[in-house]
Amino acid sequence: MDLFEKLKELRQKGLDEIKKATDEEHLNEVRVELIGRKGELTKILHSMGDIAPEDRREVGQKVNELRDLFNKQLGESKDKIVAALIAQKMEEERVDVTLPGRRQKLGSKHPINIILDDLEAYFIGMGYQVVQGPEIETDHYVFEMMNLPKDHPARDMQATFYIDDENLLRSQTSGDQARVLEKHDFSKGPLKMVGPGKVYRRDDDDATHSHQFMQMEGLVIDKHVTMSDLKGTLEMIAKHIFGQDRETRLRPSYFPFTEPSVEMDVACFNCGGKGCAICKYTGWIEVLGAGMVHPNVLENAGVDSTVYGGFAFGVGLDRFAILKYGIDDIRDFYTNDIRFLDQFRKEED
Ligand code: PHE
């Protein structure tokens, strides 16, 4: 067949093949076959030696024309394929803006944390520092330094989880008192601190007892601190948390680390003071222990008890939360039922 015929045939075949290619890979194969280094056009160029010299110019021209044509068609085809791909992708990934959004469920603050954060902010506002002692404490800080030597009968007041002879899960945050007293530099001013945290006791869990609960220790030491300062402070805390109208009372009590000692009761949220099962028919719920710091506690920490003195208190944060929110089962705090926790969402806003 003569070369001109061959070129004509190749032109037709090439254009058909380009048309048939519907994806980029296939189109590339066609390009290699037609105009690649070992493609059909190159083959024709290589066979130029076989044709009459006067025809060579024309054949060369035709080959170039055909290459240009193929290139143009291949380019156009490629553009079409890419455009179709983009269109398809756009269709597939189309976002239906009319669909309702997916709601992200937010957690809520635990009721005890609401009270804790509130009290912390309140005390910071009055110039107290906030400290945090270890939950695994030593007998030394929790008892010995707090005027409870070994075999002191008052140790039975708190059924303690011992790890070994010296280490225990703290049954009160009072060890924090000894820790800050030891370190405080009184030449820089009075000591005012609160120490919130978890405490543990060997108690059987029921509606009003838990083997783990939250306390907030408080300590104020200076040169002329009196019992009326303590009373005023306790009343302020109670009013801050429960409002101006909730009744409170102080009862004499006993703690080895305070003398005199008191306990504060708040009128029962349930019966308003008449007496019910929740307040064990007394009309009152105990919320904290307090008193004037025993001189031995100061001396044990190297503080001169003839110059310095003050008061301490230990708030039961769970009790505060029970009274504030009218919760009748302390176990609700620790079982983490979402429906229970959800009720406190508003408090955060
Ligand atoms: N630590 C005492 C308790 O857990 C409470 C308390 C603290 C009493 C500070 C007096 C002073 O019962």
Side-chain angles (χ1 to χ4, degrees):
M1 203 199 301
D2 106 325
L3 259 186
F4 293 106
E5 277 297 312
K6 260 195 183 168
L7 279 170
K8 235 173 141 184
E9 218 170 80
L10 181 60
R11 179 191 158 97
Q12 197 50 52
K13 185 184 139 203
L15 291 176
D16 285 350
E17 298 263 316
I18 291 171
K19 220 184 249 170
K20 268 192 265 167
T22 51
D23 62 58
E24 274 187 282
E25 201 183 331
H26 190 179
L27 194 67
N28 201 35
E29 279 165 19
V30 173
R31 191 180 58 78
V32 171
E33 190 189 310
L34 296 176
I35 55 174
R37 268 197 294 135
K38 290 178 184 160
E40 304 273 353
L41 271 182
T42 318
K43 268 190 220 152
I44 292 178
L45 274 179
H46 284 170
S47 61
M48 288 276 261
D50 303 341
I51 57 169
E54 62 270 25
D55 288 339
R56 285 184 193 160
R57 217 177 105 102
E58 205 187 336
V59 171
Q61 236 173 28
K62 286 245 152 42
V63 166
N64 281 340
E65 270 171 33
L66 198 49
R67 181 184 288 112
D68 289 347
L69 177 68
F70 283 163
N71 258 329
K72 191 171 149 250
Q73 291 300 320
L74 284 162
E76 278 173 14
S77 254
K78 187 173 170 177
D79 289 349
K80 264 191 219 152
I81 289 170
V82 170
L85 266 180
I86 291 174
Q88 188 192 350
K89 231 179 151 176
M90 299 263 273
E91 182 60 28
E92 278 168 9
E93 293 174 8
R94 193 167 63 180
V95 175
D96 182 351
V97 292
T98 65
L99 281 176
R102 284 192 198 104
R103 208 173 261 281
Q104 196 77 33
K105 208 166 162 41
L106 281 183
S108 50
K109 228 191 234 179
H110 193 282
I112 292 182
N113 277 335
I114 297 174
I115 302 255
L116 174 58
D117 291 350
D118 183 352
L119 278 179
E120 251 185 43
Y122 188 64
F123 280 112
I124 288 170
M126 293 194 291
Y128 285 59
Q129 56 168 315
V130 179
V131 305
Q132 215 148 30
E135 280 174 40
I136 297 177
E137 253 288 19
T138 55
D139 187 277
H140 175 72
Y141 281 112
V142 176
F143 293 128
E144 303 258 343
M145 290 287 280
M146 298 309 291
N147 198 31
L148 273 132
K150 293 215 161 62
D151 304 323
H152 192 293
R155 282 195 179 210
D156 294 344
M157 284 167 76
Q158 302 174 2
T160 307
F161 286 112
Y162 274 89
I163 294 165
D164 51 39
D165 281 351
E166 182 53 23
N167 297 291
L168 46 85
L169 291 180
R170 64 177 177 186
S171 49
Q172 56 180 2
T173 44
S174 298
D176 292 356
Q177 287 189 40
R179 285 180 178 273
V180 292
L181 272 172
E182 267 182 350
K183 286 209 207 96
H184 190 74
D185 177 358
F186 282 94
S187 70
K188 300 229 165 85
L191 191 172
K192 290 162 92 181
M193 75 87 179
V194 284
K198 285 194 194 108
V199 298
Y200 303 82
R201 286 190 198 171
R202 283 189 286 111
D203 246 340
D204 290 328
D205 291 6
D206 62 25
T208 53
H209 295 88
S210 170
H211 65 284
Q212 179 227 294
F213 53 100
M214 292 284 284
Q215 279 191 338
M216 182 184 256
E217 196 73 17
L219 180 66
V220 172
I221 303 290
D222 198 2
K223 277 186 180 149
H224 305 287
V225 185
T226 66
M227 183 95 186
S228 58
D229 293 322
L230 168 63
K231 213 177 153 195
T233 303
L234 298 182
E235 267 171 24
M236 263 172 26
I237 306 170
K239 290 209 159 52
H240 176 69
I241 295 291
F242 303 113
Q244 297 296 317
D245 301 331
R246 185 74 71 96
E247 264 190 90
T248 58
R249 71 173 184 189
L250 288 183
R251 271 182 297 110
S253 185
Y254 169 78
F255 298 103
F257 29 87
T258 47
E259 181 59 37
S261 302
V262 293
E263 279 177 307
M264 187 165 80
D265 298 336
V266 173
C268 176
F269 66 91
N270 192 45
C271 61
K274 279 191 227 88
C276 69
I278 289 172
C279 57
K280 304 205 170 69
Y281 301 97
T282 62
W284 299 95
I285 293 178
E286 177 205 323
V287 292
L288 59 83
M292 302 310 289
V293 175
H294 196 291
N296 287 357
V297 173
L298 296 168
E299 296 293 337
N300 286 348
V303 178
D304 186 347
S305 65
T306 62
V307 180
Y308 294 100
F311 62 79
F313 54 86
V315 177
L317 291 176
D318 300 61
R319 296 281 177 87
F320 265 40
I322 281 176
L323 280 156
K324 180 159 174 119
Y325 298 115
I327 292 158
D328 56 11
D329 193 330
I330 201 170
R331 287 168 293 195
D332 287 336
F333 289 140
Y334 304 103
T335 39
N336 289 334
D337 184 331
I338 290 277
R339 291 164 302 177
F340 171 75
L341 297 173
D342 251 358
Q343 301 174 74
F344 300 93
R345 188 176 301 284
K346 276 248 166 56
E347 289 285 332
E348 269 175 295
D349 302 341

